[in-house]
Amino acid sequence: MKLLCTISLLFSFSVLAQNVTILDSSTNKPVKEVFIYSKENPRGVLSDKDGVISLSSFGADEMLIIQHIRFDKLYISKKETLSGTIYLVPKENQLPTIYYDHPLRYNVDEKDEPGRIEKITKEIVKLENPATSADMLQNTGGVLVQKSQGGGGSPIIRGFEANKLLLVIDGVRMNNAIYRSGHLQNAITVDNAVLDHTEVIFGPSSSLYGSDALGGVIHFHTIDPEINGIDSTYFHGNSYLRFNSNNRSMTGHFDFSIGKNKWALLSSFTASKFGDIISGKNRAFHNDSTWGLHPEVIIQSNGSDSIVENLNPHIQANSGYSQFDFLEKFVYQSNDHLKYTFNLQFSTSSNVNRYDKLTEYAGSELRYAEWYYGPQTRFLGQFKVDFSKNPNNPKNKLYHAGVFSLAYQKIDEDRISRRYQNAMREYQEEDLNIFSLNLDFNRILTKNRIFFYGLEAQHNMVNSTAFNRNINTGLSSDVQTRYPQESNYLSSGIYVEFKKKFKNKANFTTGLRYSFIYANSQFKDTSFLSLPFNEVNILTGAPSGNVGFVLRPDSVTKISIQATTGFRAPNIDDYGKVFEKSGYTVVPNNGLKPEYALGGELSAQRSFGKDLLKIGGTVYSTYLFNAMVQRDFTLNGQDSIMYDGQMTKIQSIVNTDKAIIYGLSAFVKINFTSKFNFNYSYNYTKGQDLSANTPLEHIAPQFGKISFQYASKKLNTSIYSFYNFRKKLSDYTPGGDNIDLTPNEGGTPPWWTLNFRINYTFYEKLSLQFAAENILDMHYRQFASGITAPGRNFMVSFKAEF
C-alpha cells in the first residue's frame, strides 16, 4: 500500500511540476508566445523564446486550452502532456503573420531576411567548445580569422576586416574611434561561455547599423537570466573545465542564475591561461624546412640583452597569455509591458606579446627585445529598458514594442616596445571613454506588415599619450603619440525599416538610414613629424538603404535578392595614425573623405527528398567609391622620413576612386539519417583596386569546412576539416597582408586539417568532451597571420549543470 501511495505521489508531482516544449508540427521548431490557459486558471501562461512553458500552475486533471495566432487552437488534458512535447498545427490558407516582440536589431529572423545570416546558438558553442569567440566565428566555415599573436583573432568577411566590419554586443557598438584598418583582436574580449547566440550578417548593413558595417555585422547577444513568473525562487548554474595539450592551456568557467516572479540575476566568471603555441612539424603543404620556425629568442640578464638559441624552434616563445571575463546581469520586470536590465561586463588580460614583432629581423638580428600590448581591458555598463504597448491603452499609436539603451564603455589600449640592445622602452597609451544611446521601436501595421524605426548616438573621447622610459635610469621623455593627443568623435543616425509578407510566402524588406559624423582631433605637438596642420575637423553625413525580396516558389525552395548601400566615415585611426612597419611610416591625412559601398547579392537554396539533401549558394558584389586604402604619400614635399632612428618611406590612408569586391559562397548538407549528416561550405572572394589596378588587401583565399556529424540524445560526435586554397603572390596588394611572412614571400600555401571531437552527456547534467585537432600535425599559417597555427592538439573538457 505504501509503495502504491509513493508511486501515486511521484506521478502527481511529475504532472504538477512539468515543463513542456511547444513545437511547430510542420518545421519541428519551437514556438514562442504560445498562450495556455484553462477554465480554472484563465490568466494562463506564455511559452518563452525556446518554446518552453511551465504547467505547474495547472491542476493534474485540468483541460488545457492552447492557442497562438498562427496555429489551430488545441484542447488537451494536462495528463496528456507527460511526453514533454506539444505539437501545434499551422492554420491553413492564412495570411502570413509577422511577429516581432522586439525591434529588429535585437530580434533578427534569418529565415525572412534577404541577405545571408549565420546564427551561432549557445547549443553550437557548447558542442564545439571554442577557446575564444574568434575561434567560434572560425568554426562556422564562413568567416576567416587572422592572428598576429596568441591573443589574437581578427575576423574577415567577404574581403572586409577590422574597422570595415561592425562588432555589436547586446545592441551596443563595440567599434570605437580607433578601431584599426589592419588587424584587430577585440572579438576575443567577448566571453563565448555567456553568449545566448551570435548573428553573423554578411554584406553591407549600414541602413540598420550605421557606419563601419561595410562588410557585415557580428552581433553578440549575451544570455538573459529568466524570470520564472511564480513566487518560488529558482537557482541554476553551469560550470566547465577545459584543457588543451598543445599550448598547455586551461580554462575554467562558472555561472549561476537566480530569480523569482519579477526579477532574475546572472553572474558569470571565466578564467583562461594559454601557454606558448607549438607549431606542427608536418611540412607537406609547402616543403619549406625553415618557414615559421622560431630559432632565436632574446633574454635579458644584468640589464643587457642577449640573443640565445630556442632549443625547440617549433615552440613559439612568448605567445602565451591569460584572460579573465566577468558578467553581471540583473533583470527586473515590473509588469508584462516593462522590463529593466542592468548589464555589466568586464574583460581583462595579462600583457599580450605581439609575436610577429618579436620574430621580426633587422638585418641578421632580431629587431625587438620587447613588444607587447598592455592588458586588453574592456568595460561595458548598460541600462536597458524593454517596453511594449499596453492593450488597455488604445491611444498609443507610436509603437508595439521598443528598447531604450544607455551604455558606457571604457577601453584601455596600450603598446609597449623596446628595440634590441636599446635601453629606451616606448609606451603608447590610448584611453577611451565611450557613451552611447539607442532607441529602437517596432510598429505592427497589420498582421503581415511591420514598421521599425529608431535612432543611435555614440560619443568617443580619446586621449593619446606616448613617452620613452630608460629601463636603467627610469628617466622619461615625450615621443610621438600614435594618435592625436585629444579627440572627440561623434557618430549618430536615424533609421526606418519596413517588412511585408505575402500569401505566396514571399516577403519584402526595405530600409533607409541617415548617418551623421563629427570628429575633432588636436595635434598638440607636431614637432616630431613637422605636420603642416595641428587639427583635423570632419563634419559629414550620408544616406544608406536596402531593398530585398525573399521568394518561396514552393515549400522546399527559397530565392533571395538584395541591394544595399554602405557608408563609412574615416575614424581617428584612419586620418590621425602614426606608426612604422617594415620600413614604412604611416602619417596623418587631413584630407581623407568617407567611403561608400553599393552591394548586391542573389541567394538560392533548395531541399530534396524530404530534407535528405539541401544545397544553396550566394553570389555577391560590392562596389566601393572613395575606398580608403594605404598608399605611398608625401609630407611637406618629401616621400621619406627619419622615424625611430631609421629612414623610412612615407605612406598614408588615402581615398582611391573605385574598387570592387565580388565572390560566392555555397553549402551542401546531406542528412543520411535523422542523426547522421554531412556538411560542406565553400567561400570565394576577389577584390581589385580599379584605380591603381592592383589587388585589394584583406581578400582571403578560397576556404571552407567539411564535416560528418552524428548526434543522438546523449552522444554527439564529428569528424571535420578546415581547408584553404593557395593565394598566389599576384593576388596580393604590393607589400600588403603580411606577404613578407609567407614562404620566400611567395604567397599563402594551401592547407587543410583533420579534426575529431566527441561529446557524451551523463544524466542530462554532466558531460565529457574530447577533441583531437590537427591530427596530422600539419604546419600552416592562416592567411595574413603573423603566427603559425597550433600543431596536433588534444582537448578534454568537463561540464556540469546544477
Side-chain angles (χ1 to χ4, degrees), residues 599-661:
E601 64 181 88
L602 174 65
S603 301
Q605 62 181 52
R606 182 175 177 82
S607 298
F608 301 88
K610 295 183 178 180
D611 279 342
L612 173 64
L613 171 65
K614 188 175 184 178
I615 60 174
T618 301
V619 293
Y620 60 86
S621 177
T622 302
Y623 198 77
L624 297 167
F625 304 88
N626 284 342
M628 288 185 261
V629 295
Q630 185 172 312
R631 293 288 184 265
D632 291 340
F633 195 69
T634 60
L635 185 65
N636 299 320
Q638 303 295 316
D639 63 359
S640 299
I641 189 173
M642 181 66 69
Y643 186 81
D644 201 14
Q646 66 173 348
M647 184 61 67
T648 59
K649 292 279 291 181
I650 296 176
Q651 290 192 335
S652 188
I653 305 297
V654 301
N655 295 108
T656 187
D657 287 340
K658 300 172 184 176
I660 189 171
I661 296 175

XYZ file of all heavy atoms in Angstrom, residues 599-661:
486
model
N 26.161 47.415 -52.828
C 26.261 45.962 -52.862
C 24.995 45.295 -53.354
O 23.897 45.857 -53.289
N 25.186 44.099 -53.848
C 24.050 43.290 -54.276
C 24.370 41.822 -54.106
O 25.538 41.412 -54.180
N 23.354 41.016 -53.838
C 23.567 39.577 -53.727
C 22.312 38.825 -54.129
O 21.188 39.324 -54.008
C 23.990 39.183 -52.318
C 22.991 39.425 -51.220
C 23.539 39.002 -49.862
O 24.189 39.827 -49.185
O 23.307 37.834 -49.490
N 22.550 37.631 -54.618
C 21.474 36.727 -55.029
C 21.746 35.375 -54.401
O 22.839 34.822 -54.539
C 21.427 36.602 -56.562
C 20.442 35.578 -57.143
C 19.007 35.987 -56.834
C 20.653 35.429 -58.642
N 20.751 34.856 -53.687
C 20.901 33.571 -52.986
C 19.782 32.629 -53.399
O 18.662 33.062 -53.694
C 20.859 33.761 -51.468
O 21.860 34.627 -51.023
N 20.097 31.347 -53.392
C 19.091 30.326 -53.657
C 19.439 29.078 -52.869
O 20.619 28.736 -52.715
C 19.018 30.007 -55.151
N 18.420 28.415 -52.354
C 18.624 27.128 -51.685
C 17.389 26.255 -51.885
O 16.278 26.756 -52.045
C 18.906 27.318 -50.193
C 17.798 27.956 -49.390
C 18.169 28.137 -47.935
O 19.217 28.711 -47.617
N 17.332 27.660 -47.039
N 17.630 24.955 -51.895
C 16.534 24.016 -52.164
C 16.797 22.700 -51.439
O 17.947 22.259 -51.324
C 16.381 23.763 -53.661
C 15.222 22.832 -54.016
C 15.038 22.697 -55.521
N 13.985 21.746 -55.860
C 12.692 22.009 -55.869
N 12.281 23.236 -55.588
N 11.805 21.086 -56.183
N 15.721 22.099 -50.948
C 15.800 20.789 -50.303
C 15.220 19.734 -51.224
O 14.286 19.998 -51.998
C 15.018 20.801 -48.980
O 15.573 21.728 -48.077
N 15.759 18.531 -51.135
C 15.318 17.414 -51.953
C 15.043 16.217 -51.045
O 15.740 15.995 -50.046
C 16.391 17.030 -52.988
C 16.757 18.136 -53.929
C 17.766 19.040 -53.601
C 16.098 18.288 -55.146
C 18.123 20.059 -54.461
C 16.451 19.312 -56.011
C 17.460 20.194 -55.674
N 14.039 15.439 -51.420
C 13.771 14.180 -50.722
C 13.478 14.345 -49.260
O 14.089 13.671 -48.417
N 12.550 15.262 -48.905
C 12.171 15.487 -47.510
C 13.390 15.793 -46.641
O 13.652 15.165 -45.627
C 11.413 14.287 -46.950
C 10.070 14.033 -47.625
C 9.335 12.872 -46.972
C 7.973 12.673 -47.642
N 7.211 11.541 -47.036
N 14.144 16.776 -47.116
C 15.340 17.260 -46.406
C 16.495 16.266 -46.397
O 17.445 16.416 -45.622
C 15.019 17.657 -44.962
C 14.422 19.051 -44.872
O 14.568 19.807 -45.840
O 13.808 19.365 -43.850
N 16.454 15.272 -47.282
C 17.599 14.368 -47.402
C 18.821 15.137 -47.891
O 19.942 14.940 -47.400
C 17.271 13.221 -48.367
C 18.440 12.291 -48.720
C 18.925 11.549 -47.487
C 18.036 11.313 -49.822
N 18.606 16.042 -48.855
C 19.690 16.833 -49.430
C 19.264 18.296 -49.460
O 18.143 18.617 -49.870
C 19.998 16.364 -50.855
C 20.961 17.233 -51.676
C 22.357 17.227 -51.065
C 20.999 16.761 -53.132
N 20.141 19.163 -49.024
C 19.885 20.599 -49.071
C 21.115 21.290 -49.626
O 22.228 21.085 -49.145
C 19.565 21.129 -47.670
C 19.096 22.578 -47.654
C 18.676 22.981 -46.244
C 18.109 24.388 -46.218
N 17.656 24.783 -44.855
N 20.928 22.089 -50.667
C 22.040 22.807 -51.285
C 21.664 24.277 -51.400
O 20.483 24.641 -51.480
C 22.393 22.242 -52.677
C 21.196 22.341 -53.622
C 22.884 20.811 -52.571
C 21.534 21.928 -55.058
N 22.663 25.133 -51.404
C 22.405 26.557 -51.526
C 23.662 27.321 -51.858
O 24.783 26.813 -51.721
N 23.479 28.532 -52.314
C 24.625 29.363 -52.655
C 24.241 30.824 -52.748
O 23.064 31.173 -52.872
N 25.274 31.678 -52.685
C 25.096 33.126 -52.776
C 26.189 33.699 -53.660
O 27.364 33.340 -53.514
C 25.195 33.779 -51.383
O 24.199 33.232 -50.526
C 25.012 35.283 -51.472
N 25.803 34.558 -54.575
C 26.772 35.355 -55.332
C 26.581 36.801 -54.914
O 25.450 37.258 -54.690
C 26.594 35.184 -56.849
C 26.946 33.769 -57.279
C 25.184 35.538 -57.298
N 27.673 37.522 -54.780
C 27.580 38.881 -54.265
C 28.640 39.758 -54.914
O 29.644 39.290 -55.464
C 27.758 38.898 -52.745
C 29.083 38.346 -52.269
C 30.215 39.150 -52.179
C 29.207 37.003 -51.926
C 31.427 38.651 -51.756
C 30.418 36.484 -51.494
C 31.525 37.316 -51.412
O 32.726 36.804 -51.004
N 28.398 41.052 -54.847
C 29.351 42.031 -55.353
C 29.194 43.314 -54.543
O 28.073 43.706 -54.196
C 29.115 42.318 -56.831
O 30.005 43.314 -57.306
N 30.318 43.944 -54.219
C 30.315 45.233 -53.523
C 31.212 46.191 -54.289
O 32.392 45.914 -54.509
C 30.814 45.094 -52.071
O 29.995 44.155 -51.368
C 30.759 46.434 -51.359
N 30.620 47.293 -54.719
C 31.350 48.314 -55.470
C 31.663 49.463 -54.522
O 30.761 50.002 -53.877
C 30.484 48.801 -56.629
C 31.242 49.512 -57.711
C 31.996 48.793 -58.628
C 31.195 50.897 -57.824
C 32.696 49.450 -59.634
C 31.878 51.559 -58.814
C 32.633 50.834 -59.718
O 33.321 51.481 -60.711
N 32.939 49.819 -54.408
C 33.387 50.833 -53.452
C 33.740 52.128 -54.167
O 34.423 52.116 -55.198
C 34.607 50.333 -52.679
C 34.403 49.090 -51.802
C 35.740 48.538 -51.352
C 33.532 49.428 -50.609
N 33.280 53.242 -53.598
C 33.635 54.570 -54.072
C 34.453 55.251 -52.977
O 34.119 55.169 -51.791
C 32.382 55.415 -54.340
C 31.419 54.788 -55.309
C 30.439 53.913 -54.871
C 31.496 55.068 -56.659
C 29.539 53.351 -55.751
C 30.596 54.505 -57.546
C 29.623 53.637 -57.098
N 35.506 55.958 -53.375
C 36.373 56.631 -52.400
C 36.909 55.652 -51.360
O 37.064 56.006 -50.175
C 35.636 57.760 -51.681
C 35.483 58.993 -52.534
O 36.177 59.163 -53.527
N 34.545 59.857 -52.157
N 37.176 54.434 -51.767
C 37.655 53.419 -50.831
C 38.934 53.888 -50.154
O 39.831 54.461 -50.794
C 37.894 52.104 -51.560
N 39.018 53.658 -48.835
C 40.204 54.058 -48.084
C 41.239 52.937 -48.120
O 40.952 51.815 -47.686
C 39.820 54.396 -46.639
C 39.066 55.699 -46.501
S 38.740 56.161 -44.785
C 37.054 55.607 -44.603
N 42.413 53.250 -48.639
C 43.490 52.272 -48.776
C 44.800 52.923 -48.344
O 44.928 54.151 -48.312
C 43.607 51.759 -50.228
C 42.360 50.991 -50.637
C 43.854 52.911 -51.201
N 45.778 52.102 -48.008
C 47.091 52.609 -47.613
C 47.989 52.658 -48.835
O 48.219 51.644 -49.494
C 47.701 51.711 -46.528
C 49.017 52.230 -45.955
C 49.475 51.417 -44.762
O 48.701 51.150 -43.849
N 50.732 51.002 -44.771
N 48.520 53.832 -49.142
C 49.327 54.026 -50.338
C 50.505 54.957 -50.029
O 50.547 55.640 -48.993
C 48.478 54.639 -51.466
C 47.381 53.728 -51.997
C 47.965 52.593 -52.827
N 46.918 51.751 -53.422
C 46.455 50.629 -52.892
N 46.962 50.216 -51.736
N 45.532 49.925 -53.498
N 51.491 55.005 -50.955
C 52.620 55.925 -50.833
C 52.108 57.357 -50.768
O 51.088 57.714 -51.386
C 53.569 55.766 -52.014
C 54.298 54.424 -51.982
O 54.358 53.813 -50.894
O 54.799 53.997 -53.033
N 52.831 58.210 -50.010
C 52.327 59.536 -49.695
C 53.516 60.476 -49.552
O 54.668 60.031 -49.420
C 51.533 59.466 -48.374
C 50.651 60.639 -48.079
C 49.526 60.886 -48.836
C 50.946 61.485 -47.010
C 48.693 61.955 -48.541
C 50.117 62.566 -46.712
C 48.992 62.797 -47.484
N 53.276 61.773 -49.597
C 54.334 62.758 -49.349
C 53.914 63.661 -48.197
O 52.728 63.954 -48.016
C 54.616 63.615 -50.595
O 53.427 64.313 -50.972
C 55.115 62.757 -51.747
N 54.895 64.103 -47.426
C 54.673 65.008 -46.305
C 55.673 66.149 -46.434
O 56.886 65.903 -46.497
C 54.867 64.266 -44.977
C 54.560 65.044 -43.701
C 53.077 65.397 -43.629
C 54.964 64.231 -42.467
N 55.158 67.354 -46.530
C 55.997 68.542 -46.750
C 56.878 68.363 -47.983
O 58.050 68.750 -48.006
C 56.863 68.829 -45.526
C 56.038 69.115 -44.286
O 55.018 69.801 -44.365
N 56.460 68.583 -43.135
N 56.311 67.705 -49.003
C 57.017 67.514 -50.266
C 58.021 66.383 -50.264
O 58.697 66.145 -51.274
N 58.135 65.645 -49.148
C 59.104 64.565 -49.034
C 58.391 63.219 -49.045
O 57.310 63.082 -48.481
C 59.915 64.699 -47.741
C 60.635 66.021 -47.597
C 61.706 66.216 -48.652
O 62.480 65.297 -48.954
N 61.745 67.407 -49.248
N 59.026 62.201 -49.691
C 58.430 60.868 -49.725
C 59.072 59.925 -48.726
O 58.717 58.746 -48.643
C 58.511 60.270 -51.131
C 59.943 60.050 -51.610
O 60.892 60.375 -50.857
O 60.115 59.558 -52.743
N 60.058 60.427 -47.941
C 60.722 59.628 -46.911
C 60.886 60.473 -45.661
O 60.896 61.703 -45.712
C 62.093 59.126 -47.386
O 61.963 58.306 -48.532
N 61.027 59.766 -44.527
C 61.139 60.465 -43.251
C 61.994 59.646 -42.303
O 61.995 58.413 -42.345
C 59.726 60.712 -42.648
C 59.798 61.626 -41.427
C 59.060 59.393 -42.267
C 58.431 62.029 -40.908
N 62.754 60.344 -41.441
C 63.513 59.669 -40.401
C 62.564 59.415 -39.230
O 62.012 60.364 -38.649
C 64.689 60.528 -39.946
C 65.555 59.869 -38.874
S 66.443 58.391 -39.481
C 67.627 59.155 -40.607
N 62.353 58.148 -38.889
C 61.428 57.820 -37.810
C 62.021 56.706 -36.963
O 62.449 55.671 -37.478
C 60.065 57.374 -38.370
C 59.015 57.164 -37.298
C 58.323 58.245 -36.769
C 58.736 55.892 -36.799
C 57.363 58.073 -35.775
C 57.798 55.702 -35.804
C 57.107 56.789 -35.296
O 56.177 56.609 -34.306
N 62.073 56.938 -35.670
C 62.585 55.957 -34.704
C 63.980 55.488 -35.085
O 64.311 54.300 -35.020
C 61.635 54.770 -34.618
C 61.805 53.989 -33.320
O 62.442 54.511 -32.401
O 61.290 52.848 -33.238
N 64.797 56.450 -35.552
C 66.196 56.153 -35.803
C 66.504 55.559 -37.159
O 67.657 55.185 -37.408
N 65.528 55.465 -38.064
C 65.810 54.911 -39.388
C 65.041 55.676 -40.450
O 63.970 56.233 -40.196
C 65.472 53.420 -39.451
C 63.997 53.103 -39.304
C 63.695 51.629 -39.536
O 64.527 50.878 -40.021
N 62.493 51.226 -39.186
N 65.599 55.710 -41.651
C 64.942 56.358 -42.770
C 63.867 55.424 -43.329
O 64.139 54.268 -43.632
C 65.961 56.693 -43.869
C 65.354 57.471 -45.038
S 64.654 59.082 -44.543
C 66.153 59.970 -44.085
N 62.639 55.935 -43.433
C 61.510 55.105 -43.872
C 60.733 55.806 -44.980
O 60.719 57.038 -45.082
C 60.547 54.842 -42.692
O 60.064 56.093 -42.201
C 61.236 54.079 -41.576
N 60.054 55.012 -45.797
C 59.158 55.533 -46.825
C 57.865 56.002 -46.164
O 57.413 55.424 -45.172
C 58.849 54.456 -47.850
C 60.025 54.054 -48.714
C 60.250 55.041 -49.857
C 59.139 54.980 -50.882
N 59.377 55.930 -52.008
N 57.266 57.045 -46.724
C 56.038 57.604 -46.161
C 54.819 57.003 -46.868
O 54.783 56.925 -48.097
C 56.013 59.139 -46.296
C 57.142 59.764 -45.482
C 54.664 59.698 -45.845
C 57.243 61.273 -45.642
N 53.860 56.582 -46.067
C 52.567 56.156 -46.588
C 51.464 56.790 -45.738
O 51.716 57.298 -44.653
C 52.432 54.630 -46.568
C 53.304 53.909 -47.566
C 52.943 52.442 -47.722
O 52.384 51.821 -46.821
N 53.271 51.870 -48.877
N 50.248 56.746 -46.261
C 49.108 57.248 -45.516
C 47.854 56.563 -46.023
O 47.862 55.917 -47.090
C 48.974 58.771 -45.673
O 47.967 59.270 -44.807
N 46.782 56.680 -45.258
C 45.476 56.210 -45.715
C 44.910 57.279 -46.642
O 44.777 58.454 -46.253
C 44.523 55.963 -44.532
C 45.150 54.993 -43.529
C 43.184 55.426 -45.033
C 45.406 53.614 -44.067
N 44.594 56.891 -47.867
C 44.087 57.827 -48.866
C 42.835 57.235 -49.514
O 42.522 56.056 -49.345
C 45.146 58.123 -49.956
C 46.408 58.719 -49.335
C 45.511 56.849 -50.728
N 42.124 58.070 -50.241
C 40.968 57.602 -50.993
C 41.386 57.211 -52.396
O 42.120 57.938 -53.069
C 39.902 58.700 -51.088
C 39.311 59.064 -49.750
O 39.582 60.129 -49.218
N 38.486 58.187 -49.211
N 40.961 56.051 -52.824
C 41.116 55.660 -54.211
C 39.760 55.818 -54.890
O 38.715 55.783 -54.221
C 41.615 54.209 -54.345
O 41.907 53.931 -55.720
C 40.592 53.211 -53.832
N 39.749 56.001 -56.179
C 38.492 56.332 -56.866
C 37.473 55.204 -56.760
O 36.369 55.382 -56.277
C 38.755 56.646 -58.342
C 39.421 58.006 -58.518
O 39.326 58.818 -57.573
O 40.041 58.239 -59.554
N 37.875 54.012 -57.205
C 36.907 52.926 -57.292
C 37.584 51.598 -56.973
O 38.763 51.396 -57.273
C 36.288 52.860 -58.697
C 35.543 54.114 -59.116
C 35.126 54.042 -60.578
C 34.473 55.351 -61.017
N 34.151 55.338 -62.469
N 36.816 50.702 -56.397
C 37.290 49.341 -56.138
C 36.079 48.414 -56.154
O 34.936 48.862 -55.969
C 38.022 49.257 -54.801
N 36.346 47.143 -56.375
C 35.247 46.181 -56.416
C 35.657 44.904 -55.693
O 36.822 44.481 -55.751
C 34.837 45.862 -57.874
C 33.545 45.029 -57.886
C 35.955 45.185 -58.637
C 32.949 44.855 -59.262
N 34.713 44.348 -54.969
C 34.879 43.041 -54.325
C 33.699 42.177 -54.737
O 32.546 42.626 -54.678
C 34.923 43.170 -52.795
C 36.155 43.969 -52.357
C 34.945 41.801 -52.126
C 36.210 44.251 -50.864
